[in-house]
Amino acid sequence: MYRGVAFGLITALSLTACGGGGGSDDNPLTGDSGGGGSSLVVGSANFPGNQLLAEIYAQALEDKNLKVTRKFDIGAREVYYDQIVKGGIDVFPEYNGALLSVAVDKNSTATGTEEINAELKAKLPKSVEILDSAAAEDKDSVTVTASTAKKYDLKTLADLKPVAGDLTLGAGSEFKTRTQGGVGLKKVYGVEFGKFQPLDAGAQTTLVKLLKDDKVQAANLYTTDPAIIEDKLVVLEDPKNLFSSQNVTPLVYKKAVDAKAREALNAVSAKLTTEDLLEMMKKLVNDKEDASVVAEEWLKKSGLTG
C-alpha cells in the first residue's frame, strides 16, 4: 500500500513477499487444487490482517473435523479472485465492499452492508457465494500524521483537494487504479496527489515508518492498524462514503463447502467484531505473536472451539 532512501528496503520486501516477484515454486497457488477435494483450501491475501482471518477460518473448520489446506499470502484481489471462481481456493476471508467494487462491479455505488451484500448475491459468478458477514470491518483509509493534519488543516478527504498536489501518497500499487482508491479520490473529491509511492500490500509497517518520517505525507492504512492509535495518526473522514462498508465476509466455492463448513464459518461471523480485530492485530503486529496462536486464543475466548 505504500521514496529514495527507502527504495532498497521496499524492493527487498516486495521480492520476499509471495506474489511479489518470486518464482513459480514460491506461488501458494501451486500444488493441489480445491473445488470439491477431500481437503478444503483456505486462502489469504498478502497482508497480516487477512492472513489472521484465514487462520481463524481454518481452525474453526478443523474444529469440526474438516481437513484444511492453507494457501496463504497469495497476493492482491486481482490475483486471487479468479482462483476462487475457478475452484482453486475454496474459502477466503473477503471484505464485502471491496469485493463488490474491485472484482464484481466496478460501477457499483452501493455503500451499506445490506445493499452491498444484495448486489454481491445477485452479481457474483454462479460458482461462488458469500456467507454471513461479520460486524467486524477493516476499511481502507487515507491517514496522515497529527502534524500534517495540523499544518494543512485536514479533517476530511475533501480538505486534501487544495494541497494534495504538493503531497506524496503511499499505498499498495493496486490502490492507484481502484475506484475505492486513486480513481475514486479524484472522481469523488477532486483529490490528485503530486506523487504516488507504491509498496507491496503487506508492507504496512514500512508504510507507517515512511509516514512518520515524512517520506510520504498520506498513507492508505487499514482502519484496524494498531499504529493509528499508538502513533496518534489521523484517519481523514470520508463524508461521501468513497470507502464503502468492508465487513469481513467468507467468500466460498459452492461445490466444496458443505453445511458443516458453512455453519462453522457463519459462527465466526456471528462473533467477530471490529474491536476483536484491533485487539488481535495489536498482538500480531506489536507483540509479534504467531497468527495461529492469536487465532486459537480468540476462537476459544469466543466459545467457538474447545
Side-chain angles (χ1 to χ4, degrees):
M1 284 167 96
Y2 312 88
R3 189 165 153 176
V5 174
F7 181 77
L9 175 59
I10 295 167
T11 301
L13 283 166
S14 297
L15 290 176
T16 55
C18 286
S24 59
D25 291 343
D26 298 324
N27 187 347
L29 294 175
T30 58
D32 295 335
S33 64
S38 59
S39 179
L40 281 168
V41 179
V42 178
S44 87
N46 60 338
F47 58 92
N50 196 257
Q51 293 159 14
L52 173 64
L53 290 167
E55 183 61 35
I56 290 173
Y57 286 178
Q59 290 190 27
L61 293 166
E62 289 172 334
D63 188 67
K64 302 301 181 183
N65 298 315
L66 295 167
K67 186 178 178 181
V68 170
T69 297
R70 291 163 172 78
K71 290 191 176 181
F72 295 177
D73 204 19
I74 295 168
R77 188 171 291 102
E78 289 83 351
V79 177
Y80 66 71
Y81 176 71
D82 284 346
Q83 296 299 320
I84 306 170
V85 172
K86 296 174 182 177
I89 306 168
D90 301 319
V91 177
F92 206 99
E94 261 292 4
Y95 308 92
N96 58 353
L99 174 62
L100 176 61
S101 66
V102 176
V104 180
D105 183 1
K106 294 181 180 181
N107 297 315
S108 174
T109 58
T111 58
T113 301
E114 292 184 7
E115 184 183 9
I116 289 169
N117 285 351
E119 287 200 19
L120 283 171
K121 290 174 182 178
K123 298 176 180 179
L124 277 168
K126 292 182 179 180
S127 62
V128 297
E129 67 178 317
I130 56 168
L131 302 185
D132 294 350
S133 289
E137 290 188 83
D138 193 3
K139 298 183 71 168
D140 283 287
S141 75
V142 175
T143 294
V144 299
T145 62
S147 60
T148 296
K150 183 178 180 180
K151 179 179 180 180
Y152 297 106
D153 193 23
L154 302 176
K155 296 182 178 65
T156 75
L157 292 175
D159 297 332
L160 283 166
K161 185 176 180 179
V163 300
D166 297 325
L167 309 180
T168 298
L169 171 67
S173 57
E174 65 277 2
F175 187 82
K176 187 176 183 179
T177 58
R178 285 180 172 176
T179 301
Q180 294 191 37
V183 174
L185 282 169
K186 181 179 179 180
K187 181 178 180 180
V188 177
Y189 289 104
V191 171
E192 289 188 81
F193 284 90
K195 295 181 180 179
F196 179 78
Q197 175 60 65
L199 268 75
D200 179 82
Q204 288 279 286
T205 301
T206 302
L207 178 53
V208 171
K209 186 178 188 311
L210 293 176
L211 184 65
K212 291 165 63 178
D213 291 346
D214 201 35
K215 301 296 184 182
V216 301
Q217 291 73 50
N220 171 220
L221 295 182
Y222 298 118
T223 53
T224 56
D225 193 317
I228 291 173
I229 295 175
E230 293 188 352
D231 297 317
K232 296 179 173 59
L233 303 176
V234 178
V235 176
L236 298 181
E237 296 175 17
D238 179 21
K240 296 184 179 180
N241 295 313
L242 168 62
F243 301 119
S244 62
S245 296
Q246 302 292 351
N247 302 86
V248 175
T249 305
L251 177 64
V252 303
Y253 185 71
K254 287 182 182 179
K255 291 182 180 179
V257 182
D258 63 14
K260 183 187 290 188
R262 291 165 188 265
E263 182 180 355
L265 295 168
N266 284 334
V268 170
S269 294
K271 295 282 188 175
L272 189 65
T273 67
T274 303
E275 291 74 18
D276 291 337
L277 277 182
L278 184 54
E279 181 180 344
M280 287 189 282
M281 287 303 295
K282 288 179 180 178
K283 294 179 180 180
L284 195 67
V285 177
N286 298 345
D287 301 337
K288 308 301 181 185
E289 291 188 26
D290 189 87
S292 62
V293 174
V294 177
E296 181 180 8
E297 290 175 348
W298 180 81
L299 285 163
K300 287 182 178 179
K301 179 182 177 181
S302 301
L304 295 174
T305 60

